[in-house]
Amino acid sequence: MVLNLKVKTKLEAFFASDFYLLLITAICILFWVINQTIAGLAIFAVLMLLMSLTCKNMNGALAILGGFMYLIADQRAMTAQPNITILVVSVVIMCASVLVFYVKNRVKLRFSPALIGFGLLLFAGIFGGITEGHFGSTGWLIGVGICLALGAVFFIASNAISFDAKFFANIFVCVAIVVLVQTWIYLFRQDDFMRAIMGKAWATGWGNSSNDNARILTMCLPFVLFSASKTKLSFLHIGLFFALLFTILFTMSRGNVLIIAIFTVPLLIYGLIISKHKALFLIYLAVWIAVAVALF
């Protein structure tokens, strides 16, 4: 019993650590690179179940649910056997993990208007496929599975979260790293690098468009700077911040380039204020400006 308690304590500390977030990031990148998405999803399902049995909150599950979409390199491959079966089982395990957590910790459900939205989403996913003749198809199963996963996110977020601003910001940092690495690996794998940049159809993680990648990276920018203000390794976060800006320019996504053109100045001022490495920050800034001028 004492050993069991020690193991639970260590696991709980692990699921709340930066190392855990880095592990999730590494799994996303590795299994995407080797195109073994389904194995990564199965690992995530097991981790989430283990978390539900040992932790007092499900904060760590948000890293899984926020990252597993970016594992999917080839959506068509997901619909082939045995991948589709493993996908469905993994989603079921994730949803069951939420129920296990609720029962084990006697969490009381709280009503939220978002629950209505989830109900409508699930209704549309199920009956929309039926009316269009897709009932029972692999695409229909994937759609319903995603709806269930989103439902799990809702229940976790509404009842099972112990808010930790730094931990949540680091989740976005990890998502940014995954999408950043995927973007450049995809581009360097192409025979014609410049043609790939100008093209919009990118077979990276979730989403098949350079606009999707740019949107995600833009969304992560403020979280990277916030995380930089909370760590001694801020120079790494500052480097990541400018790498994201650099990559957004290369996506040629006009909307997101416009967004960073508007909001980059206040973000840079904030970054310079919080930076513990101001000289390095200014060097990064000079390089980024040179790249922006060269491209545009």
Side-chain angles (χ1 to χ4, degrees):
M1 185 68 181
V2 175
L3 179 61
N4 189 35
L5 181 60
K6 287 183 178 180
V7 171
K8 285 185 176 182
T9 302
K10 288 183 178 180
L11 284 173
E12 191 166 14
F14 165 71
F15 285 120
S17 67
D18 291 338
F19 177 77
Y20 163 73
L21 292 178
L22 290 174
L23 177 64
I24 295 297
T25 304
I27 291 173
C28 284
I29 294 173
L30 174 62
F31 286 95
W32 176 81
V33 168
I34 64 177
N35 201 20
Q36 293 296 324
T37 298
I38 206 64
L41 290 176
I43 292 172
F44 281 171
V46 172
L47 284 173
M48 195 161 165
L49 180 59
L50 188 61
M51 191 185 311
S52 71
L53 294 171
T54 59
C55 295
K56 296 177 182 178
N57 64 61
M58 292 287 281
N59 290 4
L62 291 181
I64 291 175
L65 294 169
F68 86 95
M69 297 286 192
Y70 305 107
L71 272 168
I72 302 175
D74 186 350
Q75 295 181 30
R76 290 173 297 179
M78 295 297 293
T79 63
Q81 288 293 356
N83 290 354
I84 185 64
T85 301
I86 299 174
L87 172 64
V88 172
V89 171
S90 297
V91 172
V92 169
I93 291 175
M94 288 180 179
C95 295
S97 299
V98 177
L99 295 177
V100 169
F101 177 84
Y102 273 58
V103 172
K104 181 177 71 71
N105 293 281
R106 299 180 181 178
V107 178
K108 294 182 179 179
L109 295 178
R110 296 192 299 267
F111 176 77
S112 167
L115 183 59
I116 299 175
F118 165 65
L120 293 174
L121 178 67
L122 188 59
F123 179 85
I126 294 175
F127 290 98
I130 292 175
T131 56
E132 295 179 8
H134 299 311
F135 178 78
S137 68
T138 51
W140 179 84
L141 289 172
I142 290 175
V144 173
I146 290 173
C147 287
L148 289 173
L150 291 173
V153 171
F154 163 74
F155 286 117
I156 291 169
S158 61
N159 294 279
I161 290 300
S162 176
F163 184 72
D164 182 339
K166 180 184 175 183
F167 186 82
F168 290 158
N170 284 340
I171 290 176
F172 283 93
V173 171
C174 291
V175 169
I177 293 172
V178 171
V179 177
L180 180 74
V181 172
Q182 286 182 344
T183 296
W184 288 105
I185 288 178
Y186 169 77
L187 289 174
F188 282 113
R189 279 177 170 178
Q190 307 309 303
D191 294 330
D192 190 333
F193 181 83
M194 293 307 300
R195 186 175 181 180
I197 289 177
M198 299 306 296
K200 288 296 182 183
W202 290 8
T204 52
W206 184 259
N208 289 295
S209 167
S210 59
N211 290 328
D212 294 328
N213 290 40
R215 192 176 303 115
I216 295 162
L217 296 179
T218 302
M219 177 186 68
C220 292
L221 285 172
F223 293 99
V224 172
L225 283 183
F226 175 82
S227 185
S229 69
K230 302 295 182 181
T231 179
K232 295 179 180 179
L233 300 176
S234 61
F235 67 95
L236 294 177
H237 291 76
I238 292 169
L240 175 61
F241 176 79
F242 281 99
L244 298 185
L245 289 177
F246 181 80
T247 304
I248 292 168
L249 293 178
F250 270 86
T251 64
M252 299 297 178
S253 175
R254 290 169 300 203
N256 290 283
V257 170
L258 178 61
I259 290 173
I260 65 172
I262 296 172
F263 292 103
T264 292
V265 172
L267 282 175
L268 289 175
I269 293 173
Y270 172 73
L272 186 59
I273 291 172
I274 62 95
S275 177
K276 300 179 180 67
H277 307 275
K278 289 181 171 52
L280 183 61
F281 187 94
L282 292 172
I283 293 172
Y284 281 138
L285 177 59
V287 172
W288 181 78
I289 290 174
V291 172
V293 170
L295 285 176
F296 297 96

